[in-house]
Amino acid sequence: MQKDQVLPELALLRETFQHGITLDLKWRRSQLLALDTFLVEREKDIADAVHDDFRKSAAETFLTETGYLRGEIRFALKHLKSWTKPHRVSVPLIYQPAKGYYSPAPYGVVLIIGAWNYPMNLCIAPLISALAAGNCVVVKPSEHAPHTSSVIAEGLGHYLDRSAISVIEGGVEEAKALLEERFDYIFYTGSHAVGREVMSAAARHLTPLTLELGGKCPCIVDENSDIRVAARRIVWAKFLNAGQTCLAPDYVLVHENREDELLLSMREAITDFYGDDPRLSPDYPRIINEKHFHRLETLLDGFSPWSGGETDPDEHYVAPTILRGVTSMSAIMQSEIFGPLLPVIAFKELEEVLDIIRRAKEPLAIYLFSSDRHVQERVVRLSRSGGVCINDLLFHAALHALPFGGIGSSGFGAYHGRAGFETFSFKRSVLKRALYPDPSLRYPPYSSRKFSFLRRLFPGWSIGKLFLH
Ligand code: NAD
């Protein structure tokens, strides 16, 4: 793609934004409703495309993509009016008579770059937030899920206002060409390495951005937990999308007294969910491409899996696999696994667990199974992560009312629900003053009497008093 092929799209979007079309709440609602119609009318096309990209079942696509997105649209429509309300502030006497307020204002023309692992969700969820906030949007889906990318391009082009929303398909070259342009906000989901490149491209134009990155999410299973339920939930969350989930539990830290029980229950859950041979299950997806398949095969090198471990390069199949005897020094513990391999590490004391987590980079989520409130509080208080989910996994990201995002190495900024609306808005302050009275007090010349009077009038004058009493 040549650079001048991008520019006409952007010029149109910029013009639409400058004409204030997207500021109208009616326009925003109409686009959100049109997006919902797209998800309803094209549900089968979307499910087929995601299936063609990595053999995900229609039920899983509904759960993690279309169903979730429809809920997000509904939530935005329900709250849009209250989110857009101006906030009045009190105005000190010295500035009276006046009215001060700030309102959320859209950034302008924003760029959303999505990743392949939830190819609809990671483009459309930020799009919902960006539209609710009144922006014009360029969406760049991932080239690694090409079927879904073309459904997005075709669908958005058909259902949404093309003068305000544009989809640019393509890979690295197209993404780089887009980043040469000046956007008013960039929302990126993907790896750390590319995140750094996106951030330095954004810096060239001083463009603010959000980075939704990955990391190694630990799952702690304490001595005081219902092991059978924990096992089923862990297996579900880990092998959903064949482990290719940024929020998947990367590894399990289990109390040594419950390790055997957990391993056996997890193996039982794998058979319950996917049968004796998961390769034959219509509910078990494949690895997205050869590169990631070989990466996972390499991670398996040197291990004799406790369960699973079968692979098939022709199908990019990697069985749900449990690894025992892993230590925090093992190669598999040095980077995000992003596939269906689950290391299990036993611990004696909670302090060891906190130590492992604190020494690692900040994950997107920490999971904890424990019915001990003291343990729950300690883990939440003494660790850092984008989010925490206690006695379950992933569902904290399914709640539209909870902000979703990372911290430190798992990224920065958040979205979903109000957090998404706020990410794509900035607070614009307005002070409206009366022209009269217009006392000479603020104007020079500043006599010593005037200066002393000014000091007394100024709002900062009484800080000391406030804190002394
Ligand atoms: P990917 O390869 O699909 O890349 C993401 C996007 O970046 C694509 O649209 C791609 O075209 C674009 N891109 C690639 N190279 C680029 C470059 N040099 N400049 C600009 N854009 C470029 O996805 P990935 O990077 O393999 O993503 C996997 C990672 O994403 C994992 O670490 C995962 O944990 C993380 N992830 C995070 C979240 C989250 O919400 N925090 C969600 C999903 C995935």
Side-chain angles (χ1 to χ4, degrees):
M1 186 184 58
Q2 297 299 307
K3 199 176 161 213
D4 57 357
Q5 281 180 274
V6 175
L7 282 167
E9 310 261 358
L10 272 185
L12 174 64
L13 265 52
R14 214 160 266 297
E15 199 183 315
T16 304
F17 186 75
Q18 276 160 4
H19 281 92
I21 292 161
T22 61
L23 297 180
D24 185 359
L25 285 197
K26 264 197 218 144
W27 181 90
R28 300 188 202 184
R29 281 198 193 96
S30 75
Q31 294 309 298
L32 292 174
L33 287 168
L35 199 49
D36 189 59
T37 310
F38 161 57
L39 295 173
V40 174
E41 290 185 353
R42 297 291 177 84
E43 185 180 345
K44 183 163 179 339
D45 296 343
I46 294 168
D48 288 349
V50 177
H51 186 271
D52 289 345
D53 283 329
F54 41 125
R55 266 203 52 179
K56 197 169 7 184
S57 72
E60 200 176 304
T61 297
F62 173 78
L63 208 63
T64 58
E65 310 254 21
T66 39
Y68 171 79
L69 291 169
R70 292 199 65 204
E72 183 73 2
I73 293 174
R74 206 186 130 103
F75 193 82
L77 285 169
K78 188 171 166 203
H79 296 284
L80 191 59
K81 202 169 165 200
S82 70
W83 292 345
T84 48
K85 270 194 185 139
H87 298 258
R88 280 286 293 268
V89 297
S90 67
V91 179
L93 194 64
I94 188 174
Y95 306 120
Q96 295 278 11
K99 197 169 114 184
Y101 63 93
Y102 61 91
S103 322
Y107 276 98
V109 180
V110 305
L111 172 64
I112 294 170
I113 302 180
W116 55 266
N117 59 327
Y118 288 92
M120 281 296 286
N121 192 326
L122 300 175
C123 287
I124 307 296
L127 175 66
I128 294 166
S129 303
L131 290 176
N135 295 279
C136 287
V137 190
V138 173
V139 179
K140 173 25 209 107
S142 175
E143 69 279 21
H144 299 304
H147 297 92
T148 316
S149 171
S150 73
V151 170
I152 293 174
E154 194 275 321
L156 299 195
H158 180 76
Y159 287 88
L160 301 190
D161 180 348
R162 283 200 225 181
S163 70
I165 299 109
S166 174
V167 180
I168 305 283
E169 287 191 273
V172 178
E173 199 191 324
E174 285 74 9
K176 283 187 166 171
L178 276 168
L179 289 170
E180 291 285 311
E181 304 291 340
R182 190 181 69 77
F183 284 91
D184 301 303
Y185 199 91
I186 297 173
F187 189 99
Y188 171 79
T189 305
S191 63
H192 293 122
V194 176
R196 275 189 203 100
E197 287 192 45
V198 172
M199 195 162 168
S200 61
R204 283 201 292 274
H205 296 291
L206 292 180
T207 302
L209 81 165
T210 290
L211 295 181
E212 295 285 347
L213 310 176
K216 285 179 89 61
C217 302
C219 177
I220 308 159
V221 182
D222 181 40
E223 204 175 0
N224 298 306
S225 50
D226 181 326
I227 294 295
R228 194 173 164 274
V229 176
R232 288 171 73 79
R233 293 185 178 185
I234 293 169
V235 164
W236 174 77
K238 176 70 184 186
F239 301 115
L240 182 88
N241 209 22
Q244 302 164 105
T245 304
C246 55
L247 275 172
D250 191 88
Y251 58 99
V252 172
L253 296 159
V254 57
H255 193 278
E256 60 178 8
N257 293 346
R258 310 298 297 273
E259 186 187 10
D260 290 338
E261 200 183 338
L262 181 76
L263 286 163
L264 290 169
S265 297
M266 289 202 296
R267 187 159 65 188
E268 197 181 307
I270 292 172
T271 312
D272 279 357
F273 299 169
Y274 304 112
D276 289 330
D277 184 358
R279 187 197 313 245
L280 305 177
S281 164
D283 295 320
Y284 189 68
R286 297 298 184 257
I287 302 307
I288 188 74
N289 55 31
E290 214 174 310
K291 184 181 136 207
H292 280 284
F293 174 81
H294 289 306
R295 183 182 59 78
L296 292 166
E297 269 201 329
T298 312
L299 283 180
L300 265 179
D301 273 355
F303 280 108
S304 45
W306 185 82
S307 159
E310 302 80 13
T311 60
D312 179 350
D314 294 336
E315 280 191 36
H316 296 164
Y317 169 77
V318 178
T321 299
I322 299 175
L323 303 168
R324 196 178 191 176
V326 175
T327 71
S328 54
M329 304 311 283
S330 306
I332 200 165
M333 291 301 291
Q334 308 315 312
S335 59
E336 183 184 7
I337 296 170
F338 216 52
L341 315 178
L342 183 61
V344 175
I345 301 173
F347 70 87
K348 276 192 178 69
E349 301 291 338
L350 187 65
E351 212 39 58
E352 279 171 57
V353 167
L354 290 170
D355 206 43
I356 292 175
I357 295 176
R358 280 191 297 239
R359 270 191 283 123
K361 290 178 178 152
E362 300 90 343
L364 205 47
I366 291 177
Y367 303 114
L368 168 68
F369 283 89
S370 174
S371 36
D372 183 332
R373 279 185 60 182
H374 179 66
V375 171
Q376 294 177 359
E377 276 160 28
R378 261 178 81 73
V379 170
V380 174
R381 200 158 47 86
L382 297 175
S383 65
R384 257 161 72 86
S385 63
V388 179
C389 189
I390 296 173
N391 292 330
D392 211 333
L393 307 96
L394 310 190
F395 276 100
H396 65 297
L399 255 65
H400 305 292
L402 281 180
F404 170 67
I407 180 79
S409 110
S410 52
F412 51 83
Y415 68 131
H416 291 184
R418 185 176 195 134
F421 173 87
E422 287 176 350
T423 282
F424 285 101
S425 315
F426 68 97
K427 293 184 175 79
R428 190 159 191 228
S429 299
V430 177
L431 179 70
K432 211 159 123 185
R433 295 203 65 206
L435 275 172
Y436 309 105
D438 186 33
S440 63
L441 193 62
R442 79 177 193 192
Y443 302 118
Y446 300 113
S447 64
S448 55
R449 214 170 135 240
K450 213 185 211 180
F451 186 26
S452 140
F453 193 52
L454 268 176
R455 287 172 86 96
R456 285 176 178 282
L457 267 182
F458 233 66
W461 180 251
S462 51
I463 282 181
K465 285 185 193 155
L466 266 178
F467 285 92
L468 283 173
H469 299 290

